[in-house]
Amino acid sequence: MLYALTKLLIYAYLIEKVWLVWSPKDPGNKEKPSRWHGRLYRGCLLSLVPFCAILFLMIFGRIAEIRKDGTCVIGMKGYA
């Protein structure tokens, strides 16, 4: 779970870096256009959707139990 969350945050940081480098700049206008109007930014955010799904499945698909014989079982369900 920590691996997927860390990867998601790194990609979110890199998307912001891409926005800063590739955003349109107009010297006469000091305001930058909104991030949501850029196709590149929306495309990058769309690439984060699978990581969010994986993180969701890892949180809700985990197994952590102690059996009657004292054995500890830690893992993921089949769909996760």
Side-chain angles (χ1 to χ4, degrees):
M1 182 174 83
L2 185 61
Y3 172 75
L5 181 63
T6 305
K7 196 166 192 171
L8 182 74
L9 290 175
I10 289 171
Y11 280 150
Y13 173 75
L14 290 175
I15 287 172
E16 288 300 314
K17 296 283 278 185
V18 166
W19 168 251
L20 289 173
V21 172
W22 286 86
S23 64
K25 296 170 184 73
D26 184 9
N29 187 4
K30 295 192 181 218
E31 293 183 18
K32 283 188 176 182
S34 173
R35 285 175 167 80
W36 298 107
H37 293 297
R39 289 188 305 156
L40 180 66
Y41 191 77
R42 287 185 295 194
C44 288
L45 285 182
L46 188 64
S47 70
L48 286 182
V49 171
F51 287 105
C52 293
I54 290 170
L55 183 61
F56 178 79
L57 288 173
M58 289 176 77
I59 290 171
F60 292 105
R62 65 183 176 189
I63 297 173
E65 61 183 36
I66 299 178
R67 295 183 180 164
K68 292 182 181 181
D69 62 351
T71 319
C72 179
V73 177
I74 300 172
M76 304 296 279
K77 294 181 182 173
Y79 63 84

